[in-house]
């Protein structure tokens, strides 16, 4: 089940981050479902997913630019309207507050990186990477995903639900089925949901409610789905887009970086604002949730009251929120977005044992981006950590334990992210090496005693 972390001590310079407060941090992540799809790739496949490298047209290395007082003040005034409203809010969420790291007037910087954490996570998840990029020449803005800076998910986070005009009567009718009601009442966590349990819930409605069943099985979120459901998943995009506007005054190129749902947000902003975003790097992007039966179960039982209790027991949330995440992944995968990403340097890192994001979908997206890019397009880099390397879905922070593992290659991941953002290239082999590259800025060690409990 979920893993709890205790951080006894750590050191970090520059800002007072949540990981450096010697307080207990609990991070909960599901275990890998037995039904999760797995695709094996030999090492040669793993390290050669690189399109455009044969082209002479590679991005130039970034040249640093000097920050002015007016640039800093303009960006701060815009960001502060968002950042400063969160700490004083009665529903603020611990460890999840947005923040920025800006260099001083007269300092030289490569540009600005906007960083997005994963669904249900907090800004601490990406804090060490943010600090590393800041210390090595980037302005950094980590705004938090839409609504995630508040601790009432069902109220503030995007979700998909039955339409208002049908919800009351439909919920009442569905819960009249004692078997279906039992599936809802006995649900604990999607992470350990057996496939036959999900199928059993769906079987309760297949004959009596065929149109609803069709809507639930609609993976494309087309007219069948929209007949019964409403969703504000697009709020993830609108908030991320607003954060992009807040840093436009800062000099140099803008980059987007994200993990999981944050990876989807980073890709969507890059795909819709190619005039502003120069490069994008994402880790385990959540473009589709693992196991379609889990998604279907969430579509059916979320509006009926089923809540996820296994990740954060003190902060349960409706399964309807997970449906919104899956819909957003579908939004990012639109052809027009892939067409744009094909024209932009991209870095996509995935893991074969992913228990949240379907990495097979990610691989298909990578292939489509490569095909669209062609032989003279910009370079695109991608790699897949093999099952033997035991890299979990939340691969960015070294203390975030999931599936009984942490990412042993996190320092190399940081360095190669820096290389990609500054040079437009990546040493794929180094991503699978625990040793740091001496030619790149060193990732600082920090002291931490970690106790993992199930």
């Amino acid at each position: 089940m979920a893993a709890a972390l205790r951080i006894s001590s750590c050191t970090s310079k520059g800002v007072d981050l949540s990981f450096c407060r010697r307080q207990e941090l609990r991070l909960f992540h599901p275990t890998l479902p037995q039904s999760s799809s797995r695709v094996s790739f030999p090492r040669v496949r793993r390290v050669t997913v690189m399109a455009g490298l044969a082209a002479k047209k590679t991005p130039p290395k970034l040249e640093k630019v000097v920050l002015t007082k007016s640039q800093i003040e303009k960006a701060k005034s815009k960001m502060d309207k968002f950042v400063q409203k969160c700490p004083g809010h009665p529903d603020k969420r611990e460890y999840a507050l947005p923040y920025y790291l800006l260099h001083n007037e007269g300092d030289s910087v490569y540009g600005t990186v906007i960083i997005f954490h994963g669904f249900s996570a907090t800004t601490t998840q990406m804090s060490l990477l943010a600090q590393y990029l800041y210390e090595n020449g980037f302005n950094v803005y980590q705004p938090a995903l839409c609504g995630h800076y508040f601790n009432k998910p069902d109220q503030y986070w995007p979700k998909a639900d039955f339409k208002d005009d049908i919800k009351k009567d439909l919920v009442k009718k569905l819960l009249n089925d004692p078997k279906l009601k039992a599936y809802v009442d006995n649900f604990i966590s999607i992470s350990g949901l057996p496939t036959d349990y999900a199928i059993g819930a769906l079987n309760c409605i297949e004959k009596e409610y065929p149109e609803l069943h069709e809507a639930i099985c609609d993976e494309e979120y087309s007219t069948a789905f929209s007949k019964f459901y409403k969703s504000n998943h697009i709020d993830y995009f609108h908030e991320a887009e607003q954060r992009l506007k807040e840093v436009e005054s800062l000099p140099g190129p803008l980059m987007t970086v994200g993990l999981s749902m944050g990876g989807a947000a980073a890709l969507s902003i890059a795909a819709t604002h190619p005039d502003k975003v120069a490069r994008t790097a994402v880790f385990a992007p959540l473009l589709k949730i693992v196991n379609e039966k889990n998604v279907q179960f969430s579509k059916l039982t979320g509006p009926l009251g089923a809540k996820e209790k296994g990740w954060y027991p003190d902060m349960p949330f409706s399964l309807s929120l997970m449906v919104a995440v899956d819909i957003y992944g579908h939004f990012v995968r639109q052809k027009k977005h892939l067409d744009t990403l094909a024209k932009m340097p991209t870095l996509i890192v995935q893991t074969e044992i992913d228990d949240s994001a379907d990495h097979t979908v990610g691989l298909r997206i990578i292939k489509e981006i490569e095909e669209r890019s062609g032989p003279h397009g910009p370079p695109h880099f991608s790699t897949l950590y093999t099952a033997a390397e035991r890299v979990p879905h939340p691969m960015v922070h070294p203390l975030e334990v999931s599936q009984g593992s942490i990412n042993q290659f996190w320092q190399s991941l940081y360095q190669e992210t820096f290389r990609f953002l500054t040079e437009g290239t990546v040493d794929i082999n180094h991503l699978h090496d625990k040793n740091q590259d001496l030619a790149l800025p060193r990732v600082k060690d920090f002291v931490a005693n970690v106790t993992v409990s199930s």
Side-chain angles (χ1 to χ4, degrees), residues 22-199:
R22 299 191 180 188
Q23 295 185 21
E24 183 178 66
L25 168 67
R26 292 184 178 273
L27 298 173
F28 295 91
H29 290 280
T31 55
L32 182 67
Q34 293 182 352
S35 58
S36 175
S37 59
R38 296 230 176 143
V39 179
S40 297
F41 290 89
R43 182 174 177 81
V44 65
R45 173 72 176 99
R46 185 193 72 190
V47 299
T48 56
V49 187
M50 295 175 281
L53 291 186
K56 298 179 180 179
K57 196 176 175 184
T58 57
K61 293 183 179 180
L62 296 185
E63 297 293 335
K64 285 189 172 183
V65 293
V66 178
L67 280 167
T68 67
K69 181 179 180 180
S70 63
Q71 291 168 339
I72 297 171
E73 289 180 346
K74 188 174 182 180
K76 277 187 174 181
S77 66
K78 290 185 177 181
M79 289 187 290
D80 283 343
K81 290 179 181 178
F82 170 64
V83 171
Q84 293 184 2
K85 78 173 185 179
C86 297
H89 197 283
D91 296 329
K92 71 176 181 180
R93 186 180 174 202
E94 195 71 23
Y95 303 115
L97 300 181
Y99 65 89
Y100 54 79
L101 308 174
L102 297 185
H103 289 269
N104 298 318
E105 174 188 356
D107 288 348
S108 296
V109 296
Y110 288 112
T112 301
V113 180
I114 304 177
I115 298 181
F116 300 98
H117 62 74
F119 173 75
S120 82
T122 69
T123 51
T124 55
Q125 187 178 55
M126 307 291 279
S127 59
L128 291 181
L129 175 60
Q131 185 71 14
Y132 172 72
L133 293 176
Y134 168 71
E135 290 176 350
N136 291 289
F138 284 96
N139 290 318
V140 177
Y141 187 19
Q142 193 180 174
L145 285 180
C146 177
H148 281 55
Y149 33 85
F150 296 143
N151 61 15
K152 295 180 180 179
D154 290 349
Q155 180 177 343
Y156 294 109
W157 303 7
K159 64 181 178 180
D161 203 347
F162 289 148
K163 289 184 174 180
D164 294 336
D165 59 341
I166 63 172
K167 180 171 181 177
K168 184 177 180 180
D169 290 340
L170 185 56
V171 168
K172 184 177 180 180
K173 289 179 181 178
L174 292 173
L175 290 182
N176 277 337
D177 183 332
K179 186 176 181 181
L180 180 57
K181 188 176 186 303
Y183 281 115
V184 175
D185 293 343
N186 295 326
F187 173 77
I188 297 176
S189 177
I190 203 75
S191 62
L193 184 71
T195 299
D196 58 355
Y197 192 94
I199 294 174

Side-chain angles (χ1 to χ4, degrees), residues 19 27 36 72 149 166 182 207 222 224 301 314 321 339 363 367 387 389 415 429 438:
F19 272 109
L27 298 173
S36 175
I72 297 171
Y149 33 85
I166 63 172
K207 292 182 179 179
S222 60
T301 64
D314 59 341
L321 277 66
D339 287 342
L363 291 173
K367 183 179 179 181
E389 290 172 305
Q415 286 193 316
N429 287 302
L438 299 180

Side-chain angles (χ1 to χ4, degrees), residues 162-436:
F162 289 148
K163 289 184 174 180
D164 294 336
D165 59 341
I166 63 172
K167 180 171 181 177
K168 184 177 180 180
D169 290 340
L170 185 56
V171 168
K172 184 177 180 180
K173 289 179 181 178
L174 292 173
L175 290 182
N176 277 337
D177 183 332
K179 186 176 181 181
L180 180 57
K181 188 176 186 303
Y183 281 115
V184 175
D185 293 343
N186 295 326
F187 173 77
I188 297 176
S189 177
I190 203 75
S191 62
L193 184 71
T195 299
D196 58 355
Y197 192 94
I199 294 174
L202 293 169
N203 287 343
C204 291
I205 67 163
E206 185 173 9
K207 292 182 179 179
E208 190 171 355
Y209 302 92
E211 288 186 308
L212 176 59
H213 188 269
E214 181 184 2
I216 291 170
C217 295
D218 182 6
E219 295 184 41
E220 297 300 313
Y221 297 102
S222 60
T223 54
F225 177 81
S226 61
K227 183 176 180 179
F228 287 87
Y229 292 87
K230 63 176 184 177
S231 174
N232 63 336
H233 63 280
I234 203 66
D235 287 355
Y236 279 119
F237 172 75
H238 292 317
E239 274 221 11
E241 187 178 46
Q242 182 59 39
R243 306 290 82 84
L244 179 68
K245 293 178 180 178
E246 291 165 357
V247 297
E248 287 178 346
S249 69
L250 295 173
L254 295 175
M255 322 280 191
T256 59
V257 172
L259 168 68
S260 188
M261 179 59 195
L267 287 173
S268 68
I269 293 302
T272 52
H273 294 278
D275 56 323
K276 299 175 183 177
V277 179
R279 297 168 190 171
T280 184
V282 296
F283 318 113
L286 212 168
L287 302 176
K288 186 172 180 59
I289 292 177
V290 165
N291 193 340
E292 182 58 30
K293 292 303 178 185
N294 286 2
V295 178
Q296 293 173 359
F297 181 85
S298 299
K299 291 178 188 176
L300 173 59
T301 64
L304 302 182
K307 289 182 177 289
E308 171 64 54
K309 309 177 188 71
W311 288 352
Y312 294 89
D314 59 341
M315 195 181 70
F317 57 84
S318 168
L319 290 186
S320 296
L321 277 66
M322 297 186 67
V323 179
V325 170
D326 199 64
I327 302 174
Y328 195 81
H330 184 269
F331 164 75
V332 178
R333 303 197 313 266
Q334 291 183 62
K335 179 182 180 298
K336 63 180 181 180
H337 293 157
L338 300 185
D339 287 342
T340 303
L341 291 172
K343 302 173 185 177
M344 178 185 303
T346 57
L347 168 62
I348 302 178
V349 181
Q350 299 186 114
T351 177
E352 194 174 15
I353 65 169
D354 204 316
D355 61 351
S356 297
D358 190 335
H359 73 274
T360 63
V361 172
L363 291 173
R364 290 201 298 271
I365 296 306
I366 292 163
K367 183 179 179 181
E368 290 186 38
I369 290 175
E370 292 171 349
E371 290 174 348
R372 285 168 166 79
S373 182
H376 301 292
H380 305 286
F381 301 87
S382 177
T383 196
L384 178 72
Y385 290 118
T386 65
E389 290 172 305
R390 296 301 303 168
V391 175
H393 172 76
M395 62 179 69
V396 176
H397 199 288
L399 297 185
E400 191 167 3
V401 181
S402 181
Q403 300 163 256
S405 301
I406 60 173
N407 183 8
Q408 299 290 337
F409 312 104
W410 68 279
Q411 291 174 312
S412 300
L413 181 66
Y414 285 20
Q415 286 193 316
E416 290 306 322
T417 300
F418 174 83
R419 192 202 303 269
F420 172 73
L421 296 178
T422 56
E423 301 179 17
T425 188
V426 175
D427 181 347
I428 294 293
N429 287 302
H430 184 226
L431 283 169
H432 301 263
D433 189 338
K434 296 178 184 178
N435 297 313
Q436 296 196 48

